[in-house]
Amino acid sequence: MTPPPIRAVIADDQMMVRQGFTVLLNAEPGIEVVGQAVNGLDAVAKVAELAPDVVLMDIRMPELGGIEATRRITSAEGSAVKVLVLTTFDLDEYVYEALRAGASGFLLKDASADELAHAVRVVAAGDALLSPNITKRLIVEFSRTAGAPRPPLKARVKELTEREMEVLTLIAGGLSNAEISRQLIVAEQTVKTHVGRILVKLGVRDRTQAAVFAYESGLVRPAGL
């Protein structure tokens, strides 16, 4: 049976961006744009109304910016919506705040149609849209700006088994399940099981947020690079 399409909402204050991304994504098999939002407040309302799987969220918008809109969407009770942040500049300061607010990844606005569709599929599946190189830069930035590890996060780390902490560290290093499998010499399905348990125990929605948790809890530090 064919799985239902990934439902997407595009939030951007520029009409050309919204329409362009809508055309590109609707041309992709298995993806359907179900709504457009002109600012952050509109995005929050559209998510409540349409219950999409993924929101493509511009960071800089009037009335309510993308960071606060992302925070409201991802923190809503029972929310499973994934947010993919749209940015003009690679890893600008707002990207870090968006990831802290609950975004699952980011994408440059000049991405190709293939890159756009791939990003939507990856984020919808709960995987991390962060390459190892970008992840390492994020570790440094989070460690520089986050200050001391937050005690409540450190307490939640203690709920993990030794193996789960090992897997979480590798996730935060940007490794895929297949790469973790090879490094730990275990079956990839075993890695998937560990990842699922990690997400449940930490109360995070996907691999990206698990990585953010690892940085902010102090489990991963720049010295480990």
Side-chain angles (χ1 to χ4, degrees):
M1 186 172 62
T2 303
I6 298 168
R7 294 163 48 83
V9 163
I10 298 170
D12 196 294
D13 60 331
Q14 297 182 46
M15 182 178 65
M16 291 295 291
V17 173
R18 295 196 308 271
Q19 293 183 343
F21 278 18
T22 296
V23 170
L24 291 175
L25 287 177
N26 280 339
E28 292 287 336
I31 300 177
E32 178 186 3
V33 176
V34 295
Q36 298 181 17
V38 300
N39 56 49
L41 285 176
D42 193 20
V44 174
K46 285 292 195 305
V47 167
E49 174 190 355
L50 301 171
D53 302 301
V54 177
V55 178
L56 284 77
M57 181 81 73
D58 185 26
I59 289 181
R60 301 171 184 82
M61 291 186 291
E63 295 194 51
L64 186 70
I67 293 173
E68 180 58 29
T70 295
R71 185 176 290 110
R72 294 186 188 185
I73 289 169
T74 59
S75 64
E77 185 176 355
S79 173
V81 181
K82 307 292 173 54
V83 176
L84 180 60
V85 170
L86 302 174
T87 181
T88 306
F89 305 104
D90 181 16
L91 282 183
D92 69 15
E93 60 183 291
Y94 296 104
V95 170
Y96 301 110
E97 291 306 313
L99 292 173
R100 281 199 175 99
S104 295
F106 73 95
L107 187 71
L108 295 178
K109 285 189 176 182
D110 62 358
S112 68
D114 287 344
E115 290 170 334
L116 179 63
H118 173 72
V120 169
R121 292 189 177 104
V122 167
V123 168
D127 293 328
L129 192 68
L130 300 171
S131 70
N133 179 53
I134 289 174
T135 301
K136 289 179 180 180
R137 290 158 64 188
L138 281 171
I139 293 171
V140 173
E141 180 65 17
F142 269 93
S143 299
R144 182 182 70 78
T145 61
R150 292 155 54 189
L153 300 187
K154 293 183 70 175
R156 283 157 66 189
V157 168
K158 294 179 180 178
E159 299 179 14
L160 303 178
T161 66
E162 184 176 344
R163 176 62 95 183
E164 288 166 351
M165 283 193 283
E166 191 174 9
V167 171
L168 177 57
T169 300
L170 295 174
I171 289 173
L175 273 66
S176 66
N177 283 353
E179 291 167 332
I180 295 173
S181 170
R182 290 193 292 271
Q183 181 153 331
L184 299 182
I185 317 177
V186 297
E188 189 170 343
Q189 183 57 49
T190 300
V191 175
K192 290 181 180 179
T193 299
H194 285 311
V195 172
R197 289 174 178 166
I198 289 167
L199 299 184
V200 170
K201 288 183 178 181
L202 298 184
V204 296
R205 60 181 52 227
D206 54 33
R207 295 170 72 96
T208 302
Q209 290 305 307
V212 170
F213 182 99
Y215 311 151
E216 296 203 312
S217 67
L219 181 64
V220 177
R221 307 297 297 173
L225 295 178

PDB file of all heavy atoms in Angstrom, residues 19-49:
ATOM      1  N   GLN A  19       5.529  30.512  -3.179  1.00  0.00           N
ATOM      2  CA  GLN A  19       4.996  29.916  -4.402  1.00  0.00           C
ATOM      3  C   GLN A  19       6.028  29.032  -5.095  1.00  0.00           C
ATOM      4  O   GLN A  19       5.691  27.962  -5.609  1.00  0.00           O
ATOM      5  CB  GLN A  19       4.504  31.020  -5.339  1.00  0.00           C
ATOM      6  CG  GLN A  19       3.290  31.765  -4.807  1.00  0.00           C
ATOM      7  CD  GLN A  19       2.765  32.815  -5.775  1.00  0.00           C
ATOM      8  OE1 GLN A  19       3.451  33.218  -6.705  1.00  0.00           O
ATOM      9  NE2 GLN A  19       1.531  33.275  -5.556  1.00  0.00           N
ATOM     10  N   GLY A  20       7.274  29.489  -5.107  1.00  0.00           N
ATOM     11  CA  GLY A  20       8.319  28.706  -5.749  1.00  0.00           C
ATOM     12  C   GLY A  20       8.517  27.363  -5.070  1.00  0.00           C
ATOM     13  O   GLY A  20       8.586  26.316  -5.731  1.00  0.00           O
ATOM     14  N   PHE A  21       8.588  27.357  -3.739  1.00  0.00           N
ATOM     15  CA  PHE A  21       8.770  26.107  -3.002  1.00  0.00           C
ATOM     16  C   PHE A  21       7.540  25.213  -3.137  1.00  0.00           C
ATOM     17  O   PHE A  21       7.660  23.987  -3.189  1.00  0.00           O
ATOM     18  CB  PHE A  21       9.046  26.400  -1.526  1.00  0.00           C
ATOM     19  CG  PHE A  21      10.480  26.744  -1.248  1.00  0.00           C
ATOM     20  CD1 PHE A  21      11.341  27.140  -2.251  1.00  0.00           C
ATOM     21  CD2 PHE A  21      10.983  26.650   0.042  1.00  0.00           C
ATOM     22  CE1 PHE A  21      12.664  27.448  -1.994  1.00  0.00           C
ATOM     23  CE2 PHE A  21      12.316  26.959   0.317  1.00  0.00           C
ATOM     24  CZ  PHE A  21      13.156  27.356  -0.709  1.00  0.00           C
ATOM     25  N   THR A  22       6.367  25.843  -3.204  1.00  0.00           N
ATOM     26  CA  THR A  22       5.143  25.052  -3.371  1.00  0.00           C
ATOM     27  C   THR A  22       5.153  24.304  -4.696  1.00  0.00           C
ATOM     28  O   THR A  22       4.842  23.102  -4.756  1.00  0.00           O
ATOM     29  CB  THR A  22       3.905  25.965  -3.297  1.00  0.00           C
ATOM     30  OG1 THR A  22       3.822  26.539  -1.991  1.00  0.00           O
ATOM     31  CG2 THR A  22       2.628  25.183  -3.581  1.00  0.00           C
ATOM     32  N   VAL A  23       5.526  24.984  -5.753  1.00  0.00           N
ATOM     33  CA  VAL A  23       5.591  24.353  -7.075  1.00  0.00           C
ATOM     34  C   VAL A  23       6.623  23.216  -7.077  1.00  0.00           C
ATOM     35  O   VAL A  23       6.348  22.112  -7.574  1.00  0.00           O
ATOM     36  CB  VAL A  23       5.936  25.394  -8.162  1.00  0.00           C
ATOM     37  CG1 VAL A  23       6.250  24.705  -9.483  1.00  0.00           C
ATOM     38  CG2 VAL A  23       4.788  26.380  -8.338  1.00  0.00           C
ATOM     39  N   LEU A  24       7.784  23.482  -6.516  1.00  0.00           N
ATOM     40  CA  LEU A  24       8.853  22.470  -6.507  1.00  0.00           C
ATOM     41  C   LEU A  24       8.444  21.234  -5.712  1.00  0.00           C
ATOM     42  O   LEU A  24       8.643  20.097  -6.161  1.00  0.00           O
ATOM     43  CB  LEU A  24      10.136  23.069  -5.918  1.00  0.00           C
ATOM     44  CG  LEU A  24      10.848  24.133  -6.756  1.00  0.00           C
ATOM     45  CD1 LEU A  24      12.021  24.712  -5.994  1.00  0.00           C
ATOM     46  CD2 LEU A  24      11.316  23.548  -8.085  1.00  0.00           C
ATOM     47  N   LEU A  25       7.866  21.446  -4.534  1.00  0.00           N
ATOM     48  CA  LEU A  25       7.531  20.301  -3.689  1.00  0.00           C
ATOM     49  C   LEU A  25       6.326  19.525  -4.210  1.00  0.00           C
ATOM     50  O   LEU A  25       6.288  18.291  -4.121  1.00  0.00           O
ATOM     51  CB  LEU A  25       7.269  20.766  -2.255  1.00  0.00           C
ATOM     52  CG  LEU A  25       8.522  21.187  -1.475  1.00  0.00           C
ATOM     53  CD1 LEU A  25       8.142  21.707  -0.094  1.00  0.00           C
ATOM     54  CD2 LEU A  25       9.504  20.028  -1.349  1.00  0.00           C
ATOM     55  N   ASN A  26       5.348  20.226  -4.751  1.00  0.00           N
ATOM     56  CA  ASN A  26       4.178  19.523  -5.288  1.00  0.00           C
ATOM     57  C   ASN A  26       4.520  18.687  -6.516  1.00  0.00           C
ATOM     58  O   ASN A  26       3.766  17.784  -6.890  1.00  0.00           O
ATOM     59  CB  ASN A  26       3.064  20.513  -5.628  1.00  0.00           C
ATOM     60  CG  ASN A  26       2.269  20.935  -4.408  1.00  0.00           C
ATOM     61  OD1 ASN A  26       2.263  20.246  -3.389  1.00  0.00           O
ATOM     62  ND2 ASN A  26       1.595  22.076  -4.497  1.00  0.00           N
ATOM     63  N   ALA A  27       5.654  18.984  -7.130  1.00  0.00           N
ATOM     64  CA  ALA A  27       6.097  18.195  -8.282  1.00  0.00           C
ATOM     65  C   ALA A  27       6.812  16.919  -7.848  1.00  0.00           C
ATOM     66  O   ALA A  27       7.095  16.045  -8.678  1.00  0.00           O
ATOM     67  CB  ALA A  27       7.026  19.031  -9.168  1.00  0.00           C
ATOM     68  N   GLU A  28       7.098  16.808  -6.554  1.00  0.00           N
ATOM     69  CA  GLU A  28       7.809  15.645  -6.025  1.00  0.00           C
ATOM     70  C   GLU A  28       6.821  14.562  -5.583  1.00  0.00           C
ATOM     71  O   GLU A  28       5.824  14.856  -4.924  1.00  0.00           O
ATOM     72  CB  GLU A  28       8.675  16.054  -4.827  1.00  0.00           C
ATOM     73  CG  GLU A  28       9.841  16.954  -5.184  1.00  0.00           C
ATOM     74  CD  GLU A  28      10.949  16.208  -5.907  1.00  0.00           C
ATOM     75  OE1 GLU A  28      11.050  14.981  -5.743  1.00  0.00           O
ATOM     76  OE2 GLU A  28      11.713  16.864  -6.633  1.00  0.00           O
ATOM     77  N   PRO A  29       7.094  13.296  -5.932  1.00  0.00           N
ATOM     78  CA  PRO A  29       6.210  12.223  -5.482  1.00  0.00           C
ATOM     79  C   PRO A  29       6.261  12.076  -3.961  1.00  0.00           C
ATOM     80  O   PRO A  29       7.321  12.172  -3.351  1.00  0.00           O
ATOM     81  CB  PRO A  29       6.788  10.979  -6.178  1.00  0.00           C
ATOM     82  CG  PRO A  29       8.215  11.335  -6.476  1.00  0.00           C
ATOM     83  CD  PRO A  29       8.221  12.808  -6.745  1.00  0.00           C
ATOM     84  N   GLY A  30       5.106  11.900  -3.366  1.00  0.00           N
ATOM     85  CA  GLY A  30       5.057  11.642  -1.933  1.00  0.00           C
ATOM     86  C   GLY A  30       5.120  12.880  -1.060  1.00  0.00           C
ATOM     87  O   GLY A  30       5.245  12.773   0.162  1.00  0.00           O
ATOM     88  N   ILE A  31       5.043  14.071  -1.656  1.00  0.00           N
ATOM     89  CA  ILE A  31       5.049  15.315  -0.881  1.00  0.00           C
ATOM     90  C   ILE A  31       3.901  16.198  -1.361  1.00  0.00           C
ATOM     91  O   ILE A  31       3.689  16.355  -2.562  1.00  0.00           O
ATOM     92  CB  ILE A  31       6.382  16.081  -1.026  1.00  0.00           C
ATOM     93  CG1 ILE A  31       7.556  15.222  -0.546  1.00  0.00           C
ATOM     94  CG2 ILE A  31       6.332  17.392  -0.234  1.00  0.00           C
ATOM     95  CD1 ILE A  31       8.906  15.881  -0.734  1.00  0.00           C
ATOM     96  N   GLU A  32       3.172  16.773  -0.423  1.00  0.00           N
ATOM     97  CA  GLU A  32       2.053  17.648  -0.771  1.00  0.00           C
ATOM     98  C   GLU A  32       2.086  18.905   0.097  1.00  0.00           C
ATOM     99  O   GLU A  32       2.121  18.810   1.336  1.00  0.00           O
ATOM    100  CB  GLU A  32       0.724  16.917  -0.541  1.00  0.00           C
ATOM    101  CG  GLU A  32      -0.506  17.767  -0.827  1.00  0.00           C
ATOM    102  CD  GLU A  32      -1.799  17.060  -0.458  1.00  0.00           C
ATOM    103  OE1 GLU A  32      -1.747  15.936   0.079  1.00  0.00           O
ATOM    104  OE2 GLU A  32      -2.873  17.650  -0.701  1.00  0.00           O
ATOM    105  N   VAL A  33       2.112  20.072  -0.516  1.00  0.00           N
ATOM    106  CA  VAL A  33       2.027  21.328   0.227  1.00  0.00           C
ATOM    107  C   VAL A  33       0.555  21.602   0.508  1.00  0.00           C
ATOM    108  O   VAL A  33      -0.237  21.792  -0.421  1.00  0.00           O
ATOM    109  CB  VAL A  33       2.654  22.492  -0.558  1.00  0.00           C
ATOM    110  CG1 VAL A  33       2.459  23.810   0.201  1.00  0.00           C
ATOM    111  CG2 VAL A  33       4.135  22.239  -0.800  1.00  0.00           C
ATOM    112  N   VAL A  34       0.202  21.611   1.788  1.00  0.00           N
ATOM    113  CA  VAL A  34      -1.207  21.749   2.156  1.00  0.00           C
ATOM    114  C   VAL A  34      -1.547  23.161   2.608  1.00  0.00           C
ATOM    115  O   VAL A  34      -2.726  23.482   2.826  1.00  0.00           O
ATOM    116  CB  VAL A  34      -1.584  20.753   3.274  1.00  0.00           C
ATOM    117  CG1 VAL A  34      -1.461  19.332   2.764  1.00  0.00           C
ATOM    118  CG2 VAL A  34      -0.729  20.966   4.525  1.00  0.00           C
ATOM    119  N   GLY A  35      -0.534  24.035   2.759  1.00  0.00           N
ATOM    120  CA  GLY A  35      -0.829  25.395   3.180  1.00  0.00           C
ATOM    121  C   GLY A  35       0.385  26.299   3.125  1.00  0.00           C
ATOM    122  O   GLY A  35       1.522  25.827   3.049  1.00  0.00           O
ATOM    123  N   GLN A  36       0.121  27.600   3.118  1.00  0.00           N
ATOM    124  CA  GLN A  36       1.172  28.614   3.141  1.00  0.00           C
ATOM    125  C   GLN A  36       0.867  29.601   4.252  1.00  0.00           C
ATOM    126  O   GLN A  36      -0.300  29.879   4.553  1.00  0.00           O
ATOM    127  CB  GLN A  36       1.260  29.350   1.800  1.00  0.00           C
ATOM    128  CG  GLN A  36       1.608  28.471   0.612  1.00  0.00           C
ATOM    129  CD  GLN A  36       1.701  29.278  -0.677  1.00  0.00           C
ATOM    130  OE1 GLN A  36       1.817  30.508  -0.660  1.00  0.00           O
ATOM    131  NE2 GLN A  36       1.650  28.593  -1.809  1.00  0.00           N
ATOM    132  N   ALA A  37       1.940  30.128   4.884  1.00  0.00           N
ATOM    133  CA  ALA A  37       1.778  31.105   5.943  1.00  0.00           C
ATOM    134  C   ALA A  37       2.647  32.311   5.641  1.00  0.00           C
ATOM    135  O   ALA A  37       3.765  32.177   5.145  1.00  0.00           O
ATOM    136  CB  ALA A  37       2.162  30.501   7.293  1.00  0.00           C
ATOM    137  N   VAL A  38       2.138  33.515   5.959  1.00  0.00           N
ATOM    138  CA  VAL A  38       2.839  34.740   5.600  1.00  0.00           C
ATOM    139  C   VAL A  38       3.700  35.290   6.731  1.00  0.00           C
ATOM    140  O   VAL A  38       4.483  36.209   6.525  1.00  0.00           O
ATOM    141  CB  VAL A  38       1.847  35.819   5.132  1.00  0.00           C
ATOM    142  CG1 VAL A  38       1.079  35.343   3.909  1.00  0.00           C
ATOM    143  CG2 VAL A  38       0.873  36.187   6.265  1.00  0.00           C
ATOM    144  N   ASN A  39       3.551  34.739   7.948  1.00  0.00           N
ATOM    145  CA  ASN A  39       4.382  35.140   9.078  1.00  0.00           C
ATOM    146  C   ASN A  39       4.300  34.068  10.160  1.00  0.00           C
ATOM    147  O   ASN A  39       3.603  33.055   9.991  1.00  0.00           O
ATOM    148  CB  ASN A  39       3.958  36.513   9.635  1.00  0.00           C
ATOM    149  CG  ASN A  39       2.494  36.553  10.042  1.00  0.00           C
ATOM    150  OD1 ASN A  39       2.005  35.683  10.744  1.00  0.00           O
ATOM    151  ND2 ASN A  39       1.774  37.585   9.582  1.00  0.00           N
ATOM    152  N   GLY A  40       4.987  34.302  11.280  1.00  0.00           N
ATOM    153  CA  GLY A  40       5.029  33.291  12.321  1.00  0.00           C
ATOM    154  C   GLY A  40       3.691  33.006  12.961  1.00  0.00           C
ATOM    155  O   GLY A  40       3.340  31.850  13.228  1.00  0.00           O
ATOM    156  N   LEU A  41       2.912  34.049  13.208  1.00  0.00           N
ATOM    157  CA  LEU A  41       1.584  33.839  13.796  1.00  0.00           C
ATOM    158  C   LEU A  41       0.704  33.007  12.867  1.00  0.00           C
ATOM    159  O   LEU A  41      -0.023  32.112  13.307  1.00  0.00           O
ATOM    160  CB  LEU A  41       0.920  35.195  14.075  1.00  0.00           C
ATOM    161  CG  LEU A  41       1.435  35.980  15.280  1.00  0.00           C
ATOM    162  CD1 LEU A  41       0.751  37.336  15.346  1.00  0.00           C
ATOM    163  CD2 LEU A  41       1.199  35.193  16.568  1.00  0.00           C
ATOM    164  N   ASP A  42       0.781  33.328  11.596  1.00  0.00           N
ATOM    165  CA  ASP A  42       0.016  32.578  10.602  1.00  0.00           C
ATOM    166  C   ASP A  42       0.478  31.125  10.556  1.00  0.00           C
ATOM    167  O   ASP A  42      -0.329  30.201  10.417  1.00  0.00           O
ATOM    168  CB  ASP A  42       0.185  33.246   9.233  1.00  0.00           C
ATOM    169  CG  ASP A  42      -0.816  32.742   8.198  1.00  0.00           C
ATOM    170  OD1 ASP A  42      -1.862  32.185   8.593  1.00  0.00           O
ATOM    171  OD2 ASP A  42      -0.556  32.924   6.994  1.00  0.00           O
ATOM    172  N   ALA A  43       1.790  30.904  10.704  1.00  0.00           N
ATOM    173  CA  ALA A  43       2.329  29.545  10.689  1.00  0.00           C
ATOM    174  C   ALA A  43       1.789  28.724  11.852  1.00  0.00           C
ATOM    175  O   ALA A  43       1.386  27.560  11.691  1.00  0.00           O
ATOM    176  CB  ALA A  43       3.852  29.586  10.737  1.00  0.00           C
ATOM    177  N   VAL A  44       1.772  29.325  13.037  1.00  0.00           N
ATOM    178  CA  VAL A  44       1.248  28.627  14.215  1.00  0.00           C
ATOM    179  C   VAL A  44      -0.221  28.262  13.999  1.00  0.00           C
ATOM    180  O   VAL A  44      -0.659  27.152  14.311  1.00  0.00           O
ATOM    181  CB  VAL A  44       1.414  29.501  15.476  1.00  0.00           C
ATOM    182  CG1 VAL A  44       0.727  28.843  16.677  1.00  0.00           C
ATOM    183  CG2 VAL A  44       2.898  29.727  15.775  1.00  0.00           C
ATOM    184  N   ALA A  45      -0.977  29.194  13.443  1.00  0.00           N
ATOM    185  CA  ALA A  45      -2.400  28.947  13.187  1.00  0.00           C
ATOM    186  C   ALA A  45      -2.600  27.868  12.127  1.00  0.00           C
ATOM    187  O   ALA A  45      -3.466  26.992  12.270  1.00  0.00           O
ATOM    188  CB  ALA A  45      -3.089  30.247  12.751  1.00  0.00           C
ATOM    189  N   LYS A  46      -1.796  27.915  11.065  1.00  0.00           N
ATOM    190  CA  LYS A  46      -1.926  26.932   9.988  1.00  0.00           C
ATOM    191  C   LYS A  46      -1.587  25.525  10.490  1.00  0.00           C
ATOM    192  O   LYS A  46      -2.221  24.540  10.111  1.00  0.00           O
ATOM    193  CB  LYS A  46      -0.998  27.290   8.826  1.00  0.00           C
ATOM    194  CG  LYS A  46      -1.481  28.459   7.970  1.00  0.00           C
ATOM    195  CD  LYS A  46      -2.727  28.121   7.182  1.00  0.00           C
ATOM    196  CE  LYS A  46      -3.003  29.128   6.058  1.00  0.00           C
ATOM    197  NZ  LYS A  46      -3.096  30.516   6.500  1.00  0.00           N
ATOM    198  N   VAL A  47      -0.591  25.421  11.356  1.00  0.00           N
ATOM    199  CA  VAL A  47      -0.228  24.119  11.911  1.00  0.00           C
ATOM    200  C   VAL A  47      -1.376  23.557  12.746  1.00  0.00           C
ATOM    201  O   VAL A  47      -1.721  22.374  12.652  1.00  0.00           O
ATOM    202  CB  VAL A  47       1.056  24.219  12.758  1.00  0.00           C
ATOM    203  CG1 VAL A  47       1.265  22.953  13.590  1.00  0.00           C
ATOM    204  CG2 VAL A  47       2.264  24.446  11.857  1.00  0.00           C
ATOM    205  N   ALA A  48      -1.977  24.414  13.563  1.00  0.00           N
ATOM    206  CA  ALA A  48      -3.114  23.973  14.382  1.00  0.00           C
ATOM    207  C   ALA A  48      -4.286  23.534  13.516  1.00  0.00           C
ATOM    208  O   ALA A  48      -4.997  22.581  13.840  1.00  0.00           O
ATOM    209  CB  ALA A  48      -3.528  25.097  15.328  1.00  0.00           C
ATOM    210  N   GLU A  49      -4.472  24.217  12.400  1.00  0.00           N
ATOM    211  CA  GLU A  49      -5.609  23.921  11.518  1.00  0.00           C
ATOM    212  C   GLU A  49      -5.368  22.700  10.634  1.00  0.00           C
ATOM    213  O   GLU A  49      -6.261  21.861  10.457  1.00  0.00           O
ATOM    214  CB  GLU A  49      -5.879  25.129  10.626  1.00  0.00           C
ATOM    215  CG  GLU A  49      -6.953  24.908   9.565  1.00  0.00           C
ATOM    216  CD  GLU A  49      -7.022  26.042   8.557  1.00  0.00           C
ATOM    217  OE1 GLU A  49      -6.306  27.060   8.729  1.00  0.00           O
ATOM    218  OE2 GLU A  49      -7.796  25.906   7.589  1.00  0.00           O
TER     219      GLU A  49
END
